[in-house]
Structures are given as structure tokens and as C-alpha cells.
Amino acid sequence: MTKIATLKTKGEKELVGYDRMVFSRPELYNLLMARVALEKIHYNKKVISIEQNQEGAMILCSDGTTYYGDILVGADGAYSGVRQGLYRQLQRIGRLPSSDALELSKGYICMVGTTAPLNPAHYPGLDGEVSSAYQVIGKKSKYSWSAFSVSGNRICWNVVSQLATFEEAVEEKFRNSEWNPQTIGPMIAEVKDFLTPFGGTIGELISATPTDMISRVFLEDKLFETWHAGRTLLPSSGQGAVTAMQDAVALANCLYELTSFSPDHIQEALQIYKDERFSQVQEQYEASKVNAKLIYGQTFLERCARHLIFNYMPMSVQAKASSKGMAYRPQASFLPLVADRGTCQVMPQKPSKRYLHEQLKKNSATVI
């Protein structure tokens, strides 16, 4: 438990105009789901095949149910059933780039959870107004782990295992496709005695976490070239919640501008979406790989880089590097835009012709 470095976010609010806030991911899920009609959400559905033609798109699920629509968005991960179905179709007709047919690179396995309320007397700093965030890197180990205090005297924790070989990645791919709470036992047995800076062990945090609040995911490492074909779209994958929300906003803006659901109009909208997102995702993908090596890396060179960057890189250089990713902040074009609050230069957003037209109609007086 030797301290390696202290990371600071000095001047961040001045740059972006907002404080950094820390909260558990299930709270974000609940916030989003509170805005969606419950009958529109279906659970325990596994896509096994897709079909699409000039009239629409269809998915067949493992329970025998089928669903139809004008557009199919495969936002179900890197091992997406939608992606596999579409790529098989494209491969049969020779339209799938060879790079998209390759397996993903070796990556990381991540187990995460949020505890029930804990006793602050046993975990110093747990009830503070400012979150305590700790990242622990195992010594000569494939594991690293973290613990963040969040409101309600709870701790969000994770354990990350760096996969050493491609064969390990293929095996974990299969395991993750059949994930359920009972399959995490072997990993828990390996990490339960790891110490945390709050006091106690990871095992104690896991024991204080409801089973349905524990997830185990495979963090993949690949940027696909093929994002859409026909009526089917595959958003960028494996880049976390921020990119997922940016994907959703950019896609919603493109769909909002659709004047019809004809194949040509849909293809045009999906291509506009990719044109906006691909370069941004590519940049974030490269940054994500570097960050993963700094935070989780176990090789000698990764340890050296971590020591030098976290202890000797000037704060001004760190701030400049972080502000680069803050410039891209898409907003829903069908809502009033939020004004910039910080000093960071924000990339301009293309205005919505439809929204401007509707606002003009709304504000115009009718004269008879």
C-alpha cells in the first residue's frame, strides 16, 4: 500500500464550467430509465439472427420472439448478436473489410460493484463531502483495483485483470457471453484478500454488495471499420459511458432530421452519423488505450511510464491534454442548446434545420 502518486484535477471547473461529480452507475441507469416507458424495455432477450430488406428490419431472439422496425441499432456490445448477424451477411457478399473479421485484441476483465451503506467508523473518510478515490496497482500481479466513496456511505469498487495472451482473451470472450452472478466465484476467490486504502479488503466490500449490483465485463480492444449497412447501425463499442452517450446524442440528431424511412434516406442519415463520430471515437480509442496502460498496466515499461507521468509531468501539460477531449460536446439539436460555461473552446455544432423551422412556426402569429 505504498502511495505512487496523487492525481489532481486543478482548474477543471474553469475549463468546462462544471464540477466533477462522482456517483454510482446504477443511479445513472435509474435516471435514464425513469424517462422511458416501462413497456418499451424488454429483459432477457438474446439476439440470434437479423434480417433486413427494403421494407424494414427484424430480429429473432433465442426465446422465439421477433421484433420489427424501420432501423435496427445494435448497441449490445462488442460481441453483439446484431453485429455478428450483420457481419455474416456482409461477409457472404464480400463486403466486410478483412480487419472487421479478425478477433479482438487481448484486453482486460473487469468486475465492478456498489456496496450497500457502510459504517463510516470502519471506513475513514466515507462520509465526507468530497469523494475519496483510490486506484491500487498490484505488485508483480495481473490485478489492479479501485475504490470510490459515493453518497449514502457507499463504496463503488472494481477489480481489473490484465489478460496476458490472445488465448486468454478468446477464453474470456466465451465466459463473458454466458455471464451470470454465479460465474464470478473464481475471480472473487483470487481477489478477496486484496487490501483497500479505506481499510479492510476487497472481499469485505464484495460481501457488502448485493449480488445484483455486481457485474463482470470483458473490456475489448478494437475499433471496427463497418458501422452500418442497410437499415442496421452498430455504434462505437468498448469506450465506456461517455462515448455511449455521445453516440446516442449524435444518432438522435441524425434520426431527427430524417424526412422519410426510405432505404436511401436511412443510409444517408447513418453515414452522416458515422462521419461525425468516427474521428472522435478513433481519438478517444487511442487515448483510452494509453490510459489503460497507465492505470492498469503491469509491464516494466508501463510501470516506468506511470511513475514519470504521474509524478513529473507538469500540471499545465496534463490540463492541456485533458482539455483536448472536452472540446467535443454534442447536444440534442431538437432542444434549446446549453450555453458554454467554461474557458475550453467547444467545437461548433451544426444547427438543426427542422428544429429551427418548427421553432419559427411555433413563434409566428397567425393572421386571418
Side-chain angles (χ1 to χ4, degrees):
M1 304 304 288
T2 303
K3 186 172 78 170
I4 298 175
T6 299
L7 306 184
K8 300 177 181 179
T9 55
K10 185 179 179 181
E12 193 170 65
K13 183 176 182 180
E14 181 183 345
L15 276 173
V16 300
Y18 298 88
D19 284 312
R20 180 186 292 263
M21 301 189 71
V22 181
F23 52 91
S24 69
R25 188 168 289 195
E27 289 176 299
L28 174 61
Y29 295 160
N30 292 337
L31 175 65
L32 296 174
M33 291 176 65
R35 303 299 191 270
V36 181
L38 291 179
E39 64 270 16
K40 293 187 177 182
I41 301 175
H42 304 272
Y43 294 94
N44 301 316
K45 297 291 182 179
K46 184 175 182 179
V47 177
I48 58 174
S49 68
I50 71 168
E51 296 292 338
Q52 57 181 338
N53 55 34
Q54 294 293 307
E55 303 302 321
M58 181 200 80
I59 59 171
L60 172 64
C61 299
S62 57
D63 61 1
T65 55
T66 55
Y67 297 89
Y68 303 85
D70 294 298
I71 298 172
L72 171 60
V73 180
D76 48 341
Y79 297 111
S80 151
V82 176
R83 184 185 303 279
Q84 293 175 37
L86 180 64
Y87 280 15
R88 280 195 296 267
Q89 293 177 0
L90 295 177
Q91 201 160 28
R92 282 198 297 267
I93 60 176
R95 286 185 51 200
L96 185 70
S98 57
S99 61
D100 283 346
L102 299 175
E103 290 282 355
L104 302 185
S105 303
K106 64 181 182 180
Y108 303 85
I109 294 297
C110 182
M111 181 169 64
V112 302
T114 302
T115 69
L118 302 170
N119 187 344
H122 298 157
Y123 298 93
L126 183 60
D127 55 352
E129 290 186 7
V130 177
S131 174
S132 297
Y134 298 105
Q135 175 69 44
V136 184
I137 301 165
K139 189 174 184 179
K140 296 180 180 179
S141 165
K142 66 179 181 179
Y143 284 109
S144 59
W145 57 100
S146 66
F148 291 66
S149 60
V150 295
S151 62
N153 294 339
R154 297 168 299 157
I155 292 178
C156 292
W157 55 268
N158 76 29
V159 180
V160 176
S161 171
Q162 184 180 32
L163 301 175
T165 65
F166 177 76
E167 288 71 23
E168 273 189 289
V170 173
E171 184 179 352
E172 287 297 341
K173 166 187 172 180
F174 172 77
R175 288 180 182 174
N176 201 65
S177 66
E178 301 299 329
W179 183 87
N180 60 64
Q182 287 70 44
T183 63
I184 60 177
M187 191 171 185
I188 290 177
E190 289 188 28
V191 306
K192 62 182 179 62
D193 295 326
F194 291 173
L195 301 176
T196 81
F198 281 106
T201 64
I202 283 291
E204 291 170 353
L205 296 183
I206 294 174
S207 297
T209 303
T211 304
D212 62 351
M213 296 286 278
I214 301 177
S215 297
R216 178 180 176 275
V217 294
F218 179 73
L219 306 180
E220 62 277 0
D221 183 10
K222 185 170 182 177
L223 181 60
F224 294 97
E225 289 184 46
T226 305
W227 282 34
H228 66 89
R231 294 174 175 269
T232 302
L233 172 74
L234 304 163
S236 55
S237 64
Q239 297 301 305
V242 172
T243 302
M245 287 187 281
Q246 290 177 344
D247 277 342
V249 171
L251 177 57
N253 289 344
C254 291
L255 298 184
Y256 177 71
E257 300 298 325
L258 275 174
T259 56
S260 82
F261 290 111
S262 70
D264 288 343
H265 284 160
I266 288 175
Q267 275 293 294
E268 182 181 6
L270 299 187
Q271 186 60 46
I272 290 173
Y273 163 77
K274 183 186 177 182
D275 290 343
E276 176 183 344
R277 292 293 297 138
F278 191 84
S279 61
Q280 297 297 327
V281 171
Q282 192 171 35
E283 192 171 285
Q284 290 171 334
Y285 171 74
E286 295 300 332
S288 178
K289 287 202 298 185
V290 173
N291 288 337
K293 289 179 180 179
L294 291 175
I295 299 297
Y296 306 124
Q298 298 286 351
T299 68
F300 174 74
L301 290 178
E302 288 166 347
R303 290 173 181 271
C304 289
R306 178 163 53 237
H307 177 75
L308 292 173
I309 291 174
F310 289 162
N311 290 287
Y312 297 103
M313 179 179 284
M315 284 296 299
S316 58
V317 177
Q318 293 187 38
K320 185 176 181 180
S322 64
S323 65
K324 187 178 180 181
M326 299 172 186
Y328 178 71
R329 282 190 254 169
Q331 298 188 43
S333 62
F334 45 85
L335 296 172
L337 297 182
V338 177
D340 296 335
R341 298 183 181 183
T343 58
C344 174
Q345 186 174 2
V346 178
M347 293 175 60
Q349 179 164 323
K350 183 180 178 180
S352 165
K353 294 181 179 179
R354 177 181 170 184
Y355 179 74
L356 294 176
H357 179 68
E358 291 183 354
Q359 289 298 109
L360 182 62
K361 287 197 302 181
K362 181 180 178 180
N363 296 328
S364 297
T366 302
V367 179
I368 299 178

